[in-house]
Amino acid sequence: MRKQAVALFFLAPLVAEFLLGDFGINALFALLFLAPMYGGGAILIREFARRTGRGWPTMLTLALAYGVIEEGLVTQSLFNPNYAGLHLLQHWFVPGLGISVPWTITVLAVHTIWSISVPIALVENLNPATRTTPWLRAPGLVVAGVLCVLGAALNVFGTQSSDHFTAPWPRLAGAGLAGLVLVVLAFRWPHRETVPGRVPAAWRVLVLTLVAGALFRLPDSAPTWVSVGLMVVVFGGMAALVLRWSRRDGWGAGHRLALAAGATLTYAWHSFSMKPFMGDGPVVTPVSHVVFALLALLLLYFEQRALPGHERPEAQFRRGSPAASTIEP
């Protein structure tokens, strides 16, 4: 099962940076620098959650902790007013915390959903038989941990070399404490019992996820209060709905894939509005967006082929098709 871990190691940065549109296809060499932190972090989150018999509430909380640590301690973009020359803190800045409300919500949600959770869900779905079982033994976990730390250190060095910014120690300490609290909370979630109940068809969940993604990824031209309000409503509303539906015995692999597919397609279409930080050009940029979007569609094709027969799209559209499966969100 180590092949699943290797797939996750490379898929995490591909989704987080390349499908998003931050890197062009001619900058694939950057995977060597991005995969250790993104991929190593995703593997550790997935393995520790599955080894302790826990599911998505734990993994999502650990993914949020990952986002706090990366953006608060590694890149320090939460506190840097001129990170990568983007002026990310100019709207709704909170002086006491040293953060911008819109940027904090955006970047933490992005890491929680797209950098970590979506790649995990996609790789797990390719082999449903091993979805909830550990992929690595202790030596593999050690390797993933070492790679993650080395990747983080490399990113710290690169960011410091380019931005020459170090946040005040109270803010760094606060970010570290917040990450630690989230890690502890991740393993305090109670185990949830399955309850009887109906859930929407998987294709409806896909449509809802696409709409939520479109609202979350509003253009920068939207008023700040509109963007912040929609992000909070969309993120909170989707979390509440999924937590509610995933407890019901009608929730299954098709619904999990619908959520991951909706998020993946959101990044795919949104990438066409992005200008890469690396690998930009009048020809290579649109070509990169098209290539990565097509690769995402190809992956999703194989994902739906890996679904149990009764949960595939063609079966779901048949009248009276059963959708029940074993619960594990």
Side-chain angles (χ1 to χ4, degrees), residues 242-267:
V242 172
L243 285 172
R244 180 182 179 185
W245 289 336
S246 62
R247 291 189 62 203
R248 298 177 178 177
D249 54 13
W251 187 263
H255 298 92
R256 288 188 290 270
L257 176 57
L259 290 171
T264 300
L265 294 174
T266 295
Y267 253 21

Side-chain angles (χ1 to χ4, degrees), residues 244-311:
R244 180 182 179 185
W245 289 336
S246 62
R247 291 189 62 203
R248 298 177 178 177
D249 54 13
W251 187 263
H255 298 92
R256 288 188 290 270
L257 176 57
L259 290 171
T264 300
L265 294 174
T266 295
Y267 253 21
W269 69 255
H270 184 265
S271 69
F272 287 88
S273 66
M274 298 288 288
K275 180 180 180 181
F277 293 128
M278 184 178 294
D280 184 27
V283 175
V284 72
T285 294
V287 168
S288 298
H289 296 332
V290 170
V291 168
F292 288 125
L294 290 176
L295 289 175
L297 289 173
L298 182 62
L299 175 59
L300 291 177
Y301 169 77
F302 287 110
E303 294 280 337
Q304 66 89 20
R305 297 305 301 171
L307 290 173
H310 70 277
E311 294 207 52

Side-chain angles (χ1 to χ4, degrees), residues 8 26 28 44 51 58-59 62 76 98 111 145 151 178 196 213 273 287 306:
L8 180 56
N26 58 336
L28 278 173
L44 291 176
R51 280 174 172 270
T58 292
M59 285 193 282
L62 290 174
Q76 299 183 37
H111 282 307
S273 66
V287 168

Side-chain angles (χ1 to χ4, degrees), residues 1-327:
M1 291 184 285
R2 285 175 293 182
K3 61 183 180 181
Q4 286 100 318
V6 173
L8 180 56
F9 184 77
F10 290 105
L11 184 62
L14 282 170
V15 171
E17 298 290 358
F18 289 87
L19 183 60
L20 170 62
D22 278 348
F23 288 79
I25 195 169
N26 58 336
L28 278 173
F29 65 88
L31 275 177
L32 297 175
F33 306 99
L34 296 170
M37 184 173 66
Y38 281 109
I43 290 172
L44 291 176
I45 287 170
R46 192 267 173 193
E47 288 298 289
F48 279 117
R50 294 309 189 191
R51 280 174 172 270
T52 55
R54 297 178 180 274
W56 278 104
T58 292
M59 285 193 282
L60 285 166
T61 309
L62 290 174
L64 178 57
Y66 171 93
V68 170
I69 292 170
E70 177 176 335
E71 301 301 331
L73 299 179
V74 177
T75 67
Q76 299 183 37
S77 78
L78 292 182
F79 311 116
N80 187 349
N82 196 34
Y83 176 75
L86 297 176
H87 308 290
L88 299 170
L89 309 187
Q90 61 182 335
H91 298 296
W92 287 23
F93 182 71
V94 183
L97 299 176
I99 63 173
S100 162
V101 174
W103 172 242
T104 299
I105 294 175
T106 299
V107 75
L108 294 185
V110 160
H111 282 307
T112 301
I113 299 170
W114 285 278
S115 298
I116 302 296
S117 299
V118 168
I120 291 175
L122 291 175
V123 176
E124 284 192 341
N125 186 73
L126 285 173
N127 190 351
T130 64
R131 187 176 64 84
T132 61
T133 58
W135 292 337
L136 298 174
R137 296 180 179 178
L141 284 177
V142 171
V143 171
V146 170
L147 286 173
C148 186
V149 171
L150 289 177
L154 186 62
N155 274 271
V156 169
F157 176 77
T159 303
Q160 290 292 322
S161 298
S162 59
D163 286 356
H164 307 288
F165 172 86
T166 301
W169 73 263
R171 292 175 183 173
L172 296 176
L177 179 60
L180 179 60
V181 169
L182 286 169
V183 170
V184 173
L185 176 62
F187 293 98
R188 302 284 293 181
W189 289 114
H191 290 278
R192 302 190 303 160
E193 299 294 332
T194 306
V195 297
R198 296 176 61 85
V199 295
W203 70 268
R204 295 181 185 274
V205 176
L206 172 61
V207 171
L208 179 62
T209 305
L210 288 170
V211 172
L215 293 174
F216 186 84
R217 303 299 296 178
L218 278 178
D220 294 336
S221 58
T224 302
W225 67 270
V226 173
S227 298
V228 172
L230 279 176
M231 284 191 292
V232 171
V233 170
V234 168
F235 193 72
M238 284 296 295
L241 285 175
V242 172
L243 285 172
R244 180 182 179 185
W245 289 336
S246 62
R247 291 189 62 203
R248 298 177 178 177
D249 54 13
W251 187 263
H255 298 92
R256 288 188 290 270
L257 176 57
L259 290 171
T264 300
L265 294 174
T266 295
Y267 253 21
W269 69 255
H270 184 265
S271 69
F272 287 88
S273 66
M274 298 288 288
K275 180 180 180 181
F277 293 128
M278 184 178 294
D280 184 27
V283 175
V284 72
T285 294
V287 168
S288 298
H289 296 332
V290 170
V291 168
F292 288 125
L294 290 176
L295 289 175
L297 289 173
L298 182 62
L299 175 59
L300 291 177
Y301 169 77
F302 287 110
E303 294 280 337
Q304 66 89 20
R305 297 305 301 171
L307 290 173
H310 70 277
E311 294 207 52
R312 291 180 184 174
E314 59 268 26
Q316 288 295 302
F317 279 103
R318 295 175 190 155
R319 193 183 189 111
S321 175
S325 73
T326 303
I327 183 77

